Amino acid sequence: MIESKDSASFKRLKWQCRRGMLELDVLFEPFLEDVFLTLEEEDKQRFYKLIECEDQEIFPWFMQKEVPEDPDLARIVHLIVTRVQPENYRRV
């Protein structure tokens, strides 16, 4: 499926990225806006899988206190965490 920022699926995904924790919002929303559409299809599917997880389950992953047992989730978490590192972050 070809997605764009105007597609219904992208808008639905954007809504799903609004979490109950600010710490997750500041990771998910910029990643979605800046990176998601450039991902390979497999990584997009991993992101969809990630946002189905509960906040209290994923919070330790992003605080780098735990690593997901599922290799697909571990990969997408790594992509997101790497993206927000100061040396990888660029303002547009």
Side-chain angles (χ1 to χ4, degrees), residues 3 14 22 39 47 57 76 79:
E3 296 181 73
K14 188 172 184 173
L22 177 62
L39 294 174
F47 189 78
E57 178 182 13
I76 195 64
L79 288 175

Side-chain angles (χ1 to χ4, degrees), residues 3-61:
E3 296 181 73
S4 71
K5 289 187 178 186
D6 295 325
S7 68
S9 62
F10 187 84
K11 289 177 182 178
R12 190 171 28 259
L13 186 58
K14 188 172 184 173
W15 182 255
Q16 290 174 303
C17 284
R18 294 184 178 139
R19 309 302 288 209
M21 300 178 85
L22 177 62
E23 295 87 348
L24 297 176
D25 289 348
V26 299
L27 292 171
F28 285 175
E29 291 180 29
F31 185 83
L32 179 70
E33 287 289 328
D34 299 340
V35 179
F36 180 79
L37 292 174
T38 68
L39 294 174
E40 298 290 329
E41 188 59 36
E42 296 82 14
D43 287 332
K44 287 181 180 179
Q45 294 306 313
R46 290 176 179 113
F47 189 78
Y48 281 111
K49 186 176 184 178
L50 176 67
I51 63 167
E52 294 299 320
C53 297
E54 296 292 327
D55 289 356
Q56 56 271 33
E57 178 182 13
I58 63 178
F59 182 72
W61 301 343

